[in-house]
């Protein structure tokens, strides 16, 4: 049994909130270069140039890549042989978010109640997904999620008779209908199976898969290719101003489901699909 004081969790979350908002993961940044090379619209290529310049400046100057520094979506894996001391885990995570967003001059975008809409002034609480896993370490991924792209999320409960082509085309059409709202070029995360809530969580987790990497399962890889081809043939383009690169990547995460069900959730990541991870 390894002891970890929750103050270490707070310090890690604080650092990751800033890191995720200042620096894109290498695979996402690299996809801007390959996206630019593939883009056929001159205006689209100019937008890619601006995206590349924006990310470089944010990184060099330790400022947010985008003014919307997002909801603090956090995935935590806590080893079952860890004994957390000094307080409650969730409190420590939220304290890390508070410190990260206040000290890092990140926009505070969270309201405490969906109808009363009073800003919490520190971007808490985190949208926390915690799993207990084997081992004696704590892994944390901070994945800030912008409101514009999050608002384009969708869910459909298909019947089990739905074909993979019908499902793929619905996913693609959902992304196309979103147009410029999620700040394309986008990354498409899909959760397929489980229950409605499980599918939604998987869709968000799917956004963490390295950009350009397809499923190891040929069935899902084929669907991912079909979705990408259809979305990129739509002409929406970078920032919705026309072009041939509307989506950079698509990841489907399947899960076991009920014999009567086939839930499908889509989470659209904007071109600033951020995340940073660390382990204690
Ligand atoms: S959707 Fe993404 S790029 Fe657009 S404003 Fe929100 S965080 Fe920024």
């Amino acid at each position: 049994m390894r002891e970890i004081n929750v103050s270490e969790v707070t310090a890690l979350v604080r650092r990751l909130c800033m890191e995720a908002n200042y620096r894109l993961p290498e695979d996402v940044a690299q996809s801007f270069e390959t996206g630019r090379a593939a883009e056929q619209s001159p205006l689209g290529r100019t937008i890619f140039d601006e995206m590349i310049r924006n990310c470089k400046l944010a990184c060099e100057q330790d400022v947010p890549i985008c003014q919307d520094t997002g909801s603090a979506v956090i995935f935590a894996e806590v080893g079952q042989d860890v004994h957390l001391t000094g307080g409650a885990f969730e409190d420590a995570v939220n304290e890390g978010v508070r410190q990260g967003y206040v000290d890092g001059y990140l926009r505070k975008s969270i309201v405490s109640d969906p109808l009363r809409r009073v800003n919490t002034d520190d971007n808490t609480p985190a949208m926390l997904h915690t799993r207990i896993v084997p081992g004696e370490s704590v892994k944390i991924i901070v994945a800030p999620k912008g409101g514009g792209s999050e608002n384009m999320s969708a869910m459909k409960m298909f019947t089990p008779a739905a074909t993979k082509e019908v499902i793929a085309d619905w996913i693609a059409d959902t992304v196309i209908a979103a147009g410029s709202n999620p700040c394309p070029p986008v990354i498409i995360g899909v959760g397929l199976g489980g229950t409605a809530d499980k599918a939604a969580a998987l869709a968000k987790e799917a956004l963490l898969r390295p950009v350009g990497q397809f499923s190891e399962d040929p069935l899902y890889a084929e669907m991912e290719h079909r979705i990408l081809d259809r979305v990129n043939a739509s002409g929406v383009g970078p920032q919705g101003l026309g072009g041939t690169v509307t989506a950079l990547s698509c990841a489907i995460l399947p899960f076991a489901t009920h014999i009567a069900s086939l839930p499908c959730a889509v989470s659209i990541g904007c071109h600033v699909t951020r995340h940073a991870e660390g382990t204690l």
Side-chain angles (χ1 to χ4, degrees), residues 66-68 146-149 181-183 270-272 274:
C66 180
Q67 44 77 32
D68 183 353
S149 57
N181 292 311
C183 299
C270 59
H271 69 277
V272 184
R274 303 154 280 199

Side-chain angles (χ1 to χ4, degrees), residues 132-155:
I132 306 296
V133 298
E136 53 179 25
S137 57
V138 175
K139 178 179 168 186
I140 290 178
I141 300 175
V142 174
K145 187 68 166 67
S149 57
E150 186 65 6
N151 289 347
M152 297 299 106
S153 306
M155 162 158 282

